[in-house]
Each structure stands twice: as structure tokens, then as C-alpha cells.
Amino acid sequence: MIMELQKIDDYKWQIPKSGMMRVPGIIFSSEAMLKSSDTQEAFKQVVNVASLPGIVKASFAMPDMHWGYGFPIGGVAAFDWNDGIISPGGVGYDINCGVRLAGTRLTRADIQPKLDTLINALYQNIPCGVGSTGSIRLSASDVKQVLQHGSRWALKQGLAENRDLEHTEDNGCLSDADPDEISERALERGRKQLGTLGSGNHFLEIGIVDTIYQPDIARAFGLFEGQVTVMLHSGSRGLGYQVCDDYLALMMKNISRFGFDLPDRQLACAPLQSNEGNRYLRAMSCAANYAWANRQILMHQTREVILKAMGISPRDLDLRLIYDVCHNIAKKENHVVDGQKHTLCVHRKGATRSFPAGHPGLSAVFQQTGQPVIVPGDMGTASYVLAGTQKAMQETFGSTCHGAGRVLSRAAAQKAGRGRSIHRELEDRGILVRWTGKSTLAEEMPEAYKDVSEVVNVVHGAGISLKVAKLKPLAVVKG
């Protein structure tokens, strides 16, 4: 089935409403990126999402879109709070997978002589890889406190500052979290994994600010050209995976009772106002809070490792959180649709919130600039910092892209990497890399991803986020 796309402008395309679709599909992309090998599969998922009950306006896909579980990764969809649904597939298995960016007082000249020592120290001291466990051991009661309070739990443990919470989406805590909705299996998986990076595309990156596009906004964010930065990409680990698995099973079991005619069982969902829908929301919020606490602790650990490896004082380093964003989440939000204010449940799967200056959902720190949007690329090219815009509120429920987006499956990337020394290729570009797992580097090679600069140029050109700064990697720890 080849999808018919209608060009709206240079950055936006439409799949017209047909068949079971309740709304059209809207794709943000350049014409060249539409030719990627898996776009047709992702388009089918955009169409399938457009058939779900209570969907409002359109089923959206960002330029980093690719095939996912049920929803495309890079998908955004909003559902009426009273008549719509919530779907675990619209959030993803790694609930609140997200990115945290911190700035320092250091420049490249400060760090380059000790870069090899530093990346080795980070690799040795930041737990990463499949099933990795951290130094923090929690009782069942402790885990429930983390699930309920998120970054605030880390603050109480002396692992965060108030400033960190102000620079974290939702201050690092969703208030409707209810640990009683979490299975014993999920709790057990969460006991040993707090403060761990994980595997796959999760990473810790030491980078440098390469280019500033918006000097005033960059200055307000705390960015300057030549600055050394720290970026963390991780999520809710095995706990979040288990929450997704548990509630997918529950919703699949009740599909016939809900009376939904779904084009794909992976779109298993429940009415937002049902017992199952409410339970999932509360459980999802727990996993989101766990992820925020996890990234907060990872940043604290990273600071300690850098100080020791570099032999410098906290004042000399001055590691400050710029922002922490979610990628996989569903949230209750108010939006204007066709001139009317609506309360919606906005699913962002592999998509980032992009709220503008003046939005009440932002802390006072960002009222003049809009929300920082952090878009990591692959480990061999670049990453970007953007800012949220009013146009995003008007067009995409305040959403934008989340990364580069895969063009090769993990299996295809492994095949393409046979016989190559990926880490040597990266070193030739001046990028040091450390990793776990035999296939990690091949699966995560730069060619496995879209050109992040092209992805960012689409969302910038479409006006749903604004380019502020470009970062380049110096050293990367891959899970």
C-alpha cells in the first residue's frame, strides 16, 4: 500500500482522511527524507493512529519518524480528555526516555589534554549496558518514594538542587503517580537500576558548543561558543518497560469490552475515563518520575567523576543543568483547537514538547525564551538546542522532533558494520567512544541514523521550534 501524500509546503505533507481515519495525517519532512526505506511503514502507522477514538485535529509525525510499536516513533496525537483514549503504544516501552543537557565553565582547551582519562573514568564509573545495576540499592518502600516524587526524591537525598527541578520538564514530577498501580515485577526491576544509563541508543556525551544561532536565547540558556557540555540520554529502564508490558496486556484483554475496532492490535488502548485508562496514567506517571530521578542521579554521578578525573573544584567545573526533556509520555494539557479551548491527552512518542515563551507550563526561568528543546544526533555528527515556539502550539500541540531518527534497523546496521572498526573511524573524526556489548557500536553507527541537521532544519523551517545552538561530540559512552 503506497500512501498518497499531498504537499502543503516545503516542510509539511498531508495524508488525506480516508477509510477508518477520523482525521488526516500530517507529516513534517523534507522531500528528500520522504524517500527513506521505512517511511511507508511509518505512514501506515500514522494512518492507523488517525483511526483511534477521540483523536483531535490530526495524526502527526515529525521528520525523525520511523516505524515503532503501534504508533510511529516521532508520532504526536492528542485525544479528547472525556471521549478519547490512552494507548501505551503511543507512549512507548521506555516511558519518559529523555535527554538532559548541562553546561560547564570549561572550554575545549581545558578538557582536551585529559579527555582520554575522563572518558575512561566515566565509562568505568557510570553503570551502562543491558541489565546494568547501580550503586543505589532501594527497598520496596524506597522505590515507591521515587515513583511518587521523582526528582524531588533526589533533592531530599542531596543528589539535586532546587535549580535542577526548575530546569526539568514538569519540575521532574507528575503529581498523579500512584505506586499502588505498579506490579511487583516492575518494582523489583526498579530496585537495582536507579542511576544507570542502560543500553542501545542511551548515552553519556561530552561535547562542545560549535555554533550559536540565537545569541540572546543561548545566553539566557547558559550556552556560549566553545563551551564544554554534558548530555545524558536515558529513561525508566526495566521498570518502565514492565509498566508498558503490564498495561498492554491488560488493555489487549479488554479490547472487545471497549468495543474498539482497531486496525492493529499494537494500538491496544482504553478510554481515558475508564478504570484501565486511569490506572495506566497513574502507573505511567510513576515510571516517568523514576526516569527523572534516574537522569538526575546520573548527572550527579557524572559531576563527581569529572571533578575527580580532571582534578578541579566544583567552582571551576560549574556544571549546571540547562534542561531535561521527555520523549515518551502522555500528558493532560489544554490546547486551542478550531478556536475552542480543549482539555486533551497529548501522546508524544519520540517527540519533544516545544512550549513557547509565556506558556504557563514553563517555570519562570523560561518565560522569556520558551522551553529549551534538546535534539541529540548520532554519536559522530552533531546535536542541537532549540527553543519552543507559538507556532508549535498552533500546529502540533506544542511538539517537535526528538532526535535524528533511525534509517537502518539494528540488524541492518550490524550487517553494514561487519568488518569495520567503528571506534577507529570515530577517533579519526576526533571523537573518543567507549561502549558495552558486542554489537552496540555497529547498531549505533552514524549511518544508522538520519542527518540530524536536516531533521532540525525541517522543524526550524516549519516554525515549530527555533534553532539556538549546535553541539559537536568530543567523547561518548554508549550503553
Side-chain angles (χ1 to χ4, degrees):
M1 177 182 180
I2 303 298
M3 296 294 168
E4 176 194 351
L5 289 184
Q6 296 177 348
K7 185 174 183 178
I8 298 173
D9 57 38
D10 287 342
Y11 306 106
K12 194 162 59 172
W13 310 72
Q14 178 174 262
I15 302 174
K17 188 169 74 167
S18 64
M20 294 174 63
M21 295 173 72
R22 300 168 189 261
V23 294
I26 299 292
I27 313 291
F28 287 86
S29 181
S30 66
E31 190 161 3
M33 292 172 69
L34 291 174
K35 298 174 183 176
S36 175
S37 60
D38 76 339
T39 50
Q40 287 298 318
E41 291 301 315
F43 292 165
K44 289 177 188 176
Q45 293 189 314
V46 171
V47 168
N48 289 344
V49 171
S51 73
L52 291 174
I55 191 168
V56 173
K57 193 173 181 177
S59 170
F60 293 97
M62 297 296 133
D64 50 339
M65 67 175 177
H66 52 289
W67 180 86
Y69 185 95
F71 280 56
I73 297 168
V76 176
F79 300 87
D80 184 86
W81 190 257
N82 294 314
D83 300 322
I85 57 88
I86 187 163
S87 174
V91 172
Y93 270 91
D94 193 359
I95 296 167
N96 189 5
C97 176
V99 173
R100 169 172 289 232
L101 177 68
T104 73
R105 188 174 288 178
L106 304 177
T107 65
R108 184 169 192 161
D110 297 320
I111 205 169
Q112 194 69 50
K114 294 186 176 181
L115 192 58
D116 192 72
T117 299
L118 175 57
I119 195 64
N120 287 336
L122 289 168
Y123 177 69
Q124 291 162 7
N125 291 282
I126 304 299
C128 59
V130 176
S132 54
T133 58
S135 60
I136 296 175
R137 291 292 187 265
L138 303 173
S139 67
S141 175
D142 291 333
V143 176
K144 290 184 177 182
Q145 288 296 307
V146 174
L147 299 182
Q148 192 161 4
H149 300 293
S151 291
R152 295 174 192 167
W153 181 87
L155 180 66
K156 288 181 181 178
Q157 305 303 312
L159 303 171
E161 301 173 359
N162 283 315
R163 183 187 183 282
D164 295 332
L165 274 60
E166 293 172 354
H167 288 247
T168 301
E169 191 169 321
D170 293 310
N171 293 314
C173 180
L174 295 179
S175 60
D176 60 346
D178 184 354
D180 289 341
E181 302 296 353
I182 302 295
S183 69
E184 288 300 320
R185 172 65 177 145
L187 289 172
E188 182 58 30
R189 296 185 73 175
R191 284 185 62 235
K192 299 177 182 179
Q193 291 193 324
L194 199 64
T196 65
L197 201 60
S199 60
N201 64 349
H202 292 167
F203 64 83
L204 189 165
E205 178 178 298
I206 305 297
I208 192 166
V209 178
D210 181 72
T211 309
I212 297 290
Y213 303 103
Q214 300 289 330
D216 290 344
I217 298 178
R219 193 176 305 111
F221 285 175
L223 295 169
F224 60 87
E225 201 165 298
Q227 176 186 25
V228 170
T229 59
V230 176
M231 189 183 297
L232 287 159
H233 179 207
S234 190
S236 49
R237 305 291 282 111
L239 183 141
Y241 188 102
Q242 191 64 47
V243 167
C244 182
D245 219 33
D246 291 342
Y247 281 89
L248 276 170
L250 178 66
M251 292 182 188
M252 283 181 177
K253 182 180 176 182
N254 287 280
I255 284 175
S256 59
R257 181 168 65 83
F258 297 143
F260 296 152
D261 184 13
L262 301 178
D264 182 354
R265 283 182 61 84
Q266 290 185 357
L267 292 174
C269 55
L272 278 157
Q273 298 307 317
S274 68
N275 177 58
E276 292 83 358
N278 271 281
R279 287 184 61 198
Y280 172 70
L281 265 174
R282 295 194 292 269
M284 181 211 70
S285 295
C286 286
N289 291 348
Y290 185 95
W292 274 315
N294 187 41
R295 290 196 292 274
Q296 178 62 50
I297 291 165
L298 283 167
M299 190 177 89
H300 176 82
Q301 293 171 336
T302 299
R303 177 190 285 113
E304 297 305 303
V305 173
I306 294 174
L307 291 174
K308 186 174 180 180
M310 295 284 293
I312 58 177
S313 70
R315 181 187 176 111
D316 290 334
L317 176 62
D318 196 25
L319 186 73
R320 289 178 173 237
L321 180 60
I322 291 167
Y323 207 61
D324 180 304
V325 298
C326 300
H327 290 164
N328 294 356
I329 203 84
K331 292 185 182 178
K332 183 179 184 180
E333 296 174 2
N334 294 319
H335 291 273
V336 176
V337 181
D338 297 328
Q340 298 291 319
K341 187 176 179 181
H342 291 263
T343 301
L344 306 172
C345 182
V346 183
H347 293 57
R348 297 185 181 94
K349 180 183 180 180
T352 305
R353 204 176 68 171
S354 184
F355 283 1
H359 193 284
L362 298 179
S363 63
V365 182
F366 302 110
Q367 285 297 312
Q368 302 301 312
T369 61
Q371 176 193 313
V373 174
I374 305 160
V375 183
D378 62 78
M379 59 187 167
T381 53
S383 298
Y384 287 84
V385 179
L386 301 90
T389 65
Q390 186 59 42
K391 193 169 184 182
M393 294 301 296
Q394 297 163 357
E395 296 212 2
T396 61
F397 305 109
S399 309
T400 189
C401 65
H402 89 303
R406 295 192 74 93
V407 289
L408 294 179
S409 68
R410 298 189 184 280
Q414 285 186 44
K415 184 177 180 181
R418 283 176 192 155
R420 291 170 56 183
S421 181
I422 306 297
H423 75 284
R424 296 295 183 197
E425 295 174 16
L426 290 167
E427 283 183 11
D428 288 344
R429 301 188 201 180
I431 303 164
L432 301 181
V433 60
R434 302 291 183 268
W435 69 99
T436 59
K438 292 181 181 179
S439 59
T440 297
L441 280 197
E443 291 176 358
E444 295 298 308
M445 69 168 72
E447 300 96 309
Y449 288 88
K450 298 179 184 181
D451 181 348
V452 70
S453 295
E454 189 172 0
V455 169
V456 166
N457 286 340
V458 169
V459 296
H460 177 83
I464 58 174
S465 45
L466 178 69
K467 281 199 295 188
V468 175
K470 181 180 181 179
L471 316 178
K472 289 287 187 73
L474 296 178
V476 184
V477 174
K478 291 294 294 189

